[in-house]
Amino acid sequence: MQRSKPVLPLAAFCATLLCACASPDVSGSRTTPVAVNVPATVHPGGETADWWYRSGAARAAGNGAMSGKAKNVIVFLGDGMSLTTVAAARILEGQRRGQPGEENQLSWERFPNTALSKTYNTDSQTPDSAGTMTAISTGVKTHMGAIGVSAGHRDDCAGSLRKHRLTWLQLADSAGMATGIVSTARLTHATPAATWAHSPNRDWENDTDLPPEALAQGCTDIARQMVGTPYGRGPRVLLGGGRGEFTPVGQRDPEYDDKVGQRLDGRDLVADWKSAHPQGRYVWNREQMRAAAGAPALLGLFEPDHMQFDHDRNHAAEPSLAEMTATAITHLSQDPNGFVLMVEGARIDHANHYGNAFRALDETIALSEAVRTAVEMTSAQDTLVLVTADHSHTLNFVGYPVRGNPILGKVRGRGGEDDAPGEYARDATGLTFTTLTYANGPGNTGESNRQAAGPKRFLHSPSTFAPVEGRPDLSQVDTAAPDYLQEALVPLKSESHGGEDVGIWARGPGSEAVRGTVEQNTLYHFIVQATPRLRERLCQAGTCDDNGVPVELPQPSDFMR
């Protein structure tokens, strides 16, 4: 059916004229806005999947994303990478180089274009990683815990089967592009899973997690979906943790003699992947990955569970995030049709949940190294690089520390913004305090069933706390030690997410559209609109308006082989 052209409002028309005279970005394209009509809706009742998709398309097109001409796309996702985490990691990286730290920049902070992302789920003010990554992957906001499906109920398998949403990686696979997924988490964990799988419940990672009724209704565990595809060739590169999700209980782990797989259905999904990719290579350590450089497809599972924190990993046996990123780009860039790649620094989130700022900042620095590697290996002329986070955390950066004060240390000064710097600052009871704290979590200094009252140490996973009686004396405590847990006000077994906005940093074709404060699902539309091969495939399926903007919610069945 022929769609009528939308009427261009005067403000948008003026903006179009102004943008037509704007300087080109590094790709040589101009950021020209395109108007898309979005019907008014009642919030939250009227927020259908179709409405979310069209409204995201309208914002991206209005920002000029359609002017992009990207051949390749790389999205870096710092899981739980709040703006506070970014600021503190920036300083720590600089201080490790012998600088004061505040003047330092992480690799992506040099990108020319920035925005803020609103992260809430359709049913939660403070979101989780599944619903947020699904918004980024599909262009549609959804419920907490959702993997690649639009909003519904978390345990409703039957209902979710009608709500599968197409991700931009699956779209790229259907369009003949190479695709890759890299994570330091299990590949079945929320963020990587939401780029490829479809499940109403993020916890259904392998068959032992899938309720019998969900299995009977036709739902498939996430691990099985990650190694199969109805869209094209499937991911050419899969690198991360989670061996146990892919192997049966009767199979011993190749690295740890005391561990076995987790699957009870007897399926060896690694063997299934090998059968589907006879020329591909399966690897489980760093040396094997380096030796598989010429393979046309690569599956790397480096741990039975999540990969180790960068601080703790065996550098000879387990690859860094930067090394996995370089490997993925080397493989994917061989495809003449271009590639899309998602890289997750997953353990930033885990360290924040543990209340351990040292590892959270260290993992953020590791992500910065991965981004730097990608920038060095690609060109701003043809590769769009986006760096963002899925949600925030409760890490606080407080007090009045003097310039260059160790970011993991105690505040030096006298505690007031008008006081001269000097000795350690003191609270109202005369005790020292750290620059970084958490609003809640296992770092609460009350006695728990795991550790005595006072400062807590990693790894602390309590189930009960006693009420706090005052603050501990930190004067003789090394708060910069890797295992020190920052003080937390509210005692929780695991520190919680935060609900504030997170950053988006962008470089390359179409990146000039990344500006302002946007709904998180708009990131999908920045990607597909700035990449001609992706938007052309959407238009072939009849989802575009007369301006060529993909505005209609795509149905996955239209993109299958």
Side-chain angles (χ1 to χ4, degrees), residues 82-95:
S82 64
L83 291 174
T84 303
T85 304
V86 171
R90 168 203 306 150
I91 293 172
L92 180 61
E93 183 186 58
Q95 290 178 347

Side-chain angles (χ1 to χ4, degrees), residues 417-497:
E417 61 182 328
D418 297 323
D419 294 331
E423 299 301 317
Y424 286 121
R426 306 278 172 172
D427 68 10
T429 68
L431 297 173
T432 59
F433 56 94
T434 57
T435 302
L436 300 180
T437 62
Y438 285 94
N440 59 44
N444 182 272
T445 56
E447 181 182 3
S448 78
N449 64 317
R450 298 288 185 180
Q451 295 185 25
K456 299 300 188 291
R457 293 183 62 80
F458 177 86
L459 179 68
H460 183 220
S461 185
S463 56
T464 62
F465 275 97
V468 175
E469 297 182 4
R471 290 188 56 244
D473 183 358
L474 299 179
S475 59
Q476 302 303 312
V477 176
D478 182 5
T479 62
D483 290 346
Y484 173 75
L485 300 191
Q486 278 64 32
E487 288 181 80
L489 174 64
V490 178
L492 292 177
K493 179 177 181 179
S494 175
E495 181 265 357
S496 77
H497 294 170

Side-chain angles (χ1 to χ4, degrees), residues 352-374:
N352 274 324
H353 278 307
Y354 289 139
N356 181 222
F358 175 92
R359 284 178 175 81
L361 307 189
D362 192 63
E363 291 293 310
T364 304
I365 294 169
L367 179 65
S368 180
E369 288 300 315
V371 174
R372 181 177 291 108
T373 296

